[in-house]
């Protein structure tokens, strides 16, 4: 069995109010190293809400989440931010690259925040990631000078900058054409299988989902398959 990277136990998220709304209900889930998992379900089923809980972007109302063997339920906001920076990478439907910076600088930013590597090592790693993702020669360009698929690959390079144990993706191909979508899909599958990074992705795209090792089906915030 693969090394377990993430364990969710009874994860529940309820929005308080006059009529409480349950976004995620009693989810138990394990994600292993090298595993590519796609979360599926109809609109409003809680897919993104679950992903944000798994990515420490939101706190559960009850239940707990173990990340790389650490119980995050007692973490304060600074500890959550530190865990996201050290151990998690994020890719969203829109790349959210900073338009006034080069592609290289966009990839360097998480490494500069973390400060784990010296300046030369940061540049070497960022250049290597962009090269590995087929972006050699585009390092000094700005995001606006790239195609949509290329920008998403820069976003993937940025997500990998600090060598996360898990990469979380929310509709990463939703704004891309068929060819670029297939390219992003294949990159994520390779990251899981060749680099042993755990991948958790939300997607409506059946072609994207077909590359996954496992599907998690949600309905009304609950895992049904």
């Amino acid at each position: 069995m693969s090394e377990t990277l993430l364990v969710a136990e009874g994860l529940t998220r309820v929005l308080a109010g006059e009529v409480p709304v349950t976004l995620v209900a009693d989810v138990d889930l394990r994600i292993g190293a090298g595993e590519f998992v796609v979360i599926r379900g109809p609109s409003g089923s809680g897919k993104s809400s679950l992903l944000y809980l798994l990515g420490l972007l939101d706190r559960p109302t009850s239940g707990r989440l173990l990340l790389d063997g650490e119980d995050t339920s007692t973490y304060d906001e600074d500890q959550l931010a530190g865990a996201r920076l050290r151990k998690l990478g994020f890719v969203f439907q829109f790349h959210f690259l900073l338009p006034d910076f080069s592609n290289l600088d966009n990839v360097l930013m998480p490494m500069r925040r973390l400060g784990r590597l010296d300046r030369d090592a940061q540049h070497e790693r960022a250049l290597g990631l962009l090269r590995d993702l087929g972006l050699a020669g585009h390092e000094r360009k700005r995001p606006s000078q790239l195609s949509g698929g290329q920008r998403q690959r820069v976003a993937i390079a940025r997500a990998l900058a600090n060598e996360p144990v898990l990469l979380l993706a929310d509709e990463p191909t939703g704004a891309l054409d068929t060819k670029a979508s297939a390219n992003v899909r294949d990159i994520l599958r390779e990251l899981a299988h060749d680099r042993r990074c755990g991948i958790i992705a939300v997607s409506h795209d059946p072609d994207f989902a077909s590359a996954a090792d496992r599907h998690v089906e949600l309905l009304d915030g609950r895992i049904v398959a």
Side-chain angles (χ1 to χ4, degrees), residues 147-218:
S147 69
Q150 288 172 323
R151 286 194 291 267
Q152 198 67 314
R153 279 184 274 153
V154 176
I156 293 172
R158 180 184 58 188
L160 296 173
N162 288 332
E163 299 183 86
V165 297
L166 278 168
L167 189 149
L168 300 99
D170 193 2
E171 297 286 358
T173 61
L176 303 180
D177 62 29
T178 301
K179 183 177 179 180
S181 296
N183 185 237
V184 169
R185 176 199 66 205
D186 293 344
I187 287 169
L188 294 180
R189 180 170 57 189
E190 179 182 338
L191 287 171
H193 295 171
D194 294 349
R195 300 196 187 189
R196 305 292 293 160
C197 182
I199 308 285
I200 311 170
V202 166
S203 181
H204 285 99
D205 181 353
D207 289 331
F208 181 91
S210 69
D213 303 310
R214 180 158 57 104
H215 297 161
V216 174
E217 300 281 350
L218 281 190

Side-chain angles (χ1 to χ4, degrees), residues 24 30 42 74 93 99 122 125 166 169 173 188 207 218:
V24 176
R30 288 176 180 265
T74 61
Q93 180 173 350
Q122 289 175 11
R125 176 161 177 79
L166 278 168
T173 61
L188 294 180
D207 289 331
L218 281 190

